[in-house]
Amino acid sequence: MQSASKILSYSNSRRGAAVVALVLACGFMLSAADTPVNVQLNLKKAGPRQVESLTEQAILRDYRLAWTSIAQAFETSSADPLEGPFAGEAKKQLVDVAIQQQQSGLSQRYLNQTHHLDAVFYAPEGDVMELHDTAEFQLEVSTGGKIIHQEHIVQHYVVLMTPAADRWVIRHLQAVPQF
Amino acid sequence: MLRTFLILASLAFSAATVGLSAAQDIRVPSSIAAGDEATISTTGSGKATFYLIGPSVSRKNDVNLGEEIKLQPRDVQIAGNYLALVCSGECRSANFYVSPAKPAALTFLVHPSRVPVAQGDAISGVAFPFDQFHNLVLAPLTVNFQLSVSNSAMFSRQVKTQDGAAWFRTSSGKSAGAVQAIATLNDVSTRRAVQQVASDPCNLRIKGERTKTGLLLETEPVHDCGGNIVPDGTIVTFTANEGDTRSTVDAPIKKGIARAQISGTAAATISVASGVVIGNELRIGAK
């Protein structure tokens, strides 16, 4: 009985250690794409068309997904994550970066992203929306597994989104010094 | 003794090398227009690795510290924020912005593609100016919107872009036909077309005659209140009441006229409607 109890205790402690190791391993393996992307949307300046509630939810969902995809694409140097949320020139430019990263051996991590979005123009027929994004994130640039640059970024973006079959896609994403 | 000397000499050489590499610095241009050539200057001496990360670029190449790094026009075609890094032991970084070049194209969206005449705020358009590299030009610019039907002006307005967008909204014209919509910015212009079609029918009238098997009914040429022929395909509903029996036929307008045949031999009252418009009633006696 005593030996059984010891075995149980030993087993529990091993299991505990394994859980701790797993949690730590997961912590180390956590990629930028796994960290949450916070998006806040302000519609006060939107016009001339009023933004419907469902559109607001779709913009929030799809903009968040777009930046999760950027983080994933740039961290893994893969264009695949950019397939859904982007179209036109925005997609081409981001894909170019991902492909060039494969050649240069560079990778970028976008950590702790926060986006303050202002809808500044919503076309009368609802076929295009312009947004201003003040984005904050921690940028890490690596090459060969070594971080060569770290920076806290506050960046302004002008964004054009258009509705597609089942989502809003980013057609234009342009960083600007200020609004 | 010799060993000690060699170690000291080696340490001194290493310190000198590190000192030279650590002296590196990087200076970027204060402003670059998209597609322009640019140079980045470095200080120090020795070999280093240069990295350029931008909206559509991520490249590295070897450079000599103290020499200028030339950026080709294709490196800086896309407006936005660029990060330049020079690494030799340690890394030095600098950021710079590339601004859009002059406008070279207008993206012009016009809605709808087909619109009934005389509808308030029925046509709208949005224009976005882009440079030759597809960068959105955000500086305020004046876009001239013009709408015309058969070379006669219908609408004209100059609108200054705000955050890179200019837009208009206007009523549709009085006569059916193709509307040419043009957005012009300096020497750049973009055309779109909107088809204006007749509005709801006006004064819908029918005539009919009895045939061997029933009733042959047809409308007079169907116009809207502005005199425009209602487009083919518009549905006209004929209803025949013969005592307690009611027959309904939907017929599309073809070349301005809708026709229907209703079987029956009893006296009938025929009515006609298209959309919300009701036409005249017709009484036809029994066979």
Side-chain angles (χ1 to χ4, degrees):
Chain A
M1 186 68 185
Q2 196 180 3
S3 65
S5 157
K6 269 186 182 175
I7 288 166
L8 191 64
S9 165
Y10 176 68
S11 168
N12 280 342
S13 67
R14 276 189 67 180
R15 192 182 299 156
V19 167
V20 169
L22 186 67
V23 167
L24 285 173
C26 286
F28 285 123
M29 289 186 325
L30 199 66
S31 68
D34 296 326
T35 61
V37 174
N38 295 310
V39 181
Q40 292 164 13
L41 176 58
N42 177 13
L43 301 171
K44 284 178 188 164
K45 297 179 198 166
R49 186 185 176 98
Q50 194 177 354
V51 181
E52 301 85 356
S53 170
L54 282 174
T55 305
E56 179 184 356
Q57 290 167 30
I59 292 285
L60 272 169
R61 179 196 64 204
D62 296 336
Y63 197 75
R64 187 181 296 121
L65 175 69
W67 275 95
T68 305
S69 301
I70 289 177
Q72 203 175 353
F74 286 4
E75 186 172 357
T76 60
S77 299
S78 163
D80 293 345
L82 305 167
E83 202 50 51
F86 299 93
E89 282 301 312
K91 183 177 173 183
K92 183 182 172 299
Q93 290 165 13
L94 294 166
V95 166
D96 282 350
V97 172
I99 290 169
Q100 287 181 48
Q101 281 192 178
Q102 292 168 8
Q103 294 156 359
S104 65
L106 281 168
S107 68
Q108 301 178 68
R109 295 181 83 198
Y110 286 45
L111 298 159
N112 305 323
Q113 293 186 50
T114 303
H115 299 266
H116 295 276
L117 269 182
D118 279 304
V120 295
F121 177 73
Y122 188 27
E125 293 297 320
D127 50 353
V128 61
M129 188 183 290
E130 181 177 339
L131 302 125
H132 286 178
D133 177 15
T134 301
E136 280 192 57
F137 52 88
Q138 188 71 22
L139 172 68
E140 283 182 8
V141 180
S142 305
T143 179
K146 182 186 164 193
I147 297 171
I148 57 170
H149 181 73
Q150 279 182 308
E151 188 180 358
H152 179 74
I153 304 263
V154 179
Q155 181 69 68
H156 302 294
Y157 291 95
V158 173
V159 186
L160 294 181
M161 294 184 83
T162 58
D166 60 347
R167 68 183 72 180
W168 281 75
V169 294
I170 295 180
R171 287 198 166 267
H172 195 82
L173 183 67
Q174 184 171 318
V176 293
Q178 71 273 321
F179 296 128
Chain B
M1 186 67 180
L2 178 65
R3 194 175 167 191
T4 310
F5 173 76
L6 284 172
I7 290 169
L8 285 172
S10 168
L11 282 172
F13 178 74
S14 301
T17 311
V18 169
L20 281 176
S21 297
Q24 85 214 32
D25 205 354
I26 180 169
R27 197 169 300 149
V28 292
S30 55
S31 67
I32 307 176
D36 279 359
E37 277 188 5
T39 54
I40 292 174
S41 57
T42 60
T43 58
S45 61
K47 297 278 186 193
T49 308
F50 172 68
Y51 300 94
L52 182 67
I53 299 169
S56 73
V57 67
S58 172
R59 70 172 177 88
K60 74 169 182 179
N61 52 287
D62 296 331
V63 292
N64 292 315
L65 292 174
E67 292 180 3
E68 285 190 334
I69 302 165
K70 288 203 182 304
L71 300 181
Q72 298 301 318
R74 62 184 155 78
D75 291 330
V76 286
Q77 283 185 350
I78 307 303
N81 186 26
Y82 286 70
L83 171 66
L85 282 164
V86 173
C87 297
S88 172
E90 65 183 54
C91 295
R92 294 293 172 93
S93 68
N95 288 81
F96 61 93
Y97 274 94
V98 170
S99 56
K102 66 173 187 173
L106 266 178
T107 293
F108 186 28
L109 309 170
V110 179
H111 281 285
S113 57
R114 190 176 163 95
V115 63
V117 296
Q119 303 283 312
D121 286 343
I123 302 175
S124 67
V126 184
F128 294 97
F130 288 89
D131 69 9
Q132 61 172 313
F133 308 110
H134 310 290
N135 299 305
L136 182 61
V137 181
L138 295 160
L141 300 163
T142 303
V143 178
N144 189 16
F145 294 111
Q146 283 183 312
L147 271 64
S148 60
V149 185
S150 307
N151 293 328
S152 70
M154 184 179 130
F155 169 85
S156 178
R157 189 175 293 166
Q158 289 194 328
V159 181
K160 196 166 263 188
T161 59
Q162 192 174 351
D163 300 317
W167 68 280
F168 72 89
R169 186 157 47 193
T170 186
S171 304
S172 56
K174 290 176 182 171
S175 53
V179 175
Q180 294 295 324
I182 306 173
T184 309
L185 171 63
N186 302 329
D187 55 347
V188 180
S189 66
T190 306
R191 286 170 179 267
R192 295 286 179 265
V194 175
Q195 186 66 34
Q196 282 189 154
V197 296
S199 193
D200 290 330
C202 206
N203 296 324
L204 186 60
R205 297 194 64 78
I206 50 169
K207 54 190 178 183
E209 60 184 19
R210 189 165 283 288
T211 62
K212 286 180 184 172
T213 52
L215 300 167
L216 181 61
L217 307 167
E218 71 173 37
T219 63
E220 290 178 1
V222 184
H223 295 92
D224 68 4
C225 295
N228 301 295
I229 287 279
V230 172
D232 284 3
T234 304
I235 298 296
V236 173
T237 303
F238 297 89
T239 305
N241 288 302
E242 295 177 332
D244 294 337
T245 309
R246 187 176 198 184
S247 308
T248 301
V249 174
D250 287 336
I253 291 175
K254 284 180 187 169
K255 294 183 179 176
I257 295 170
R259 292 183 178 85
Q261 201 154 12
I262 296 176
S263 57
T265 53
T269 305
I270 316 295
S271 61
V272 64
S274 180
V276 295
V277 178
I278 297 171
N280 64 316
E281 266 192 0
L282 191 67
R283 291 174 200 281
I284 297 179
K287 189 175 180 183

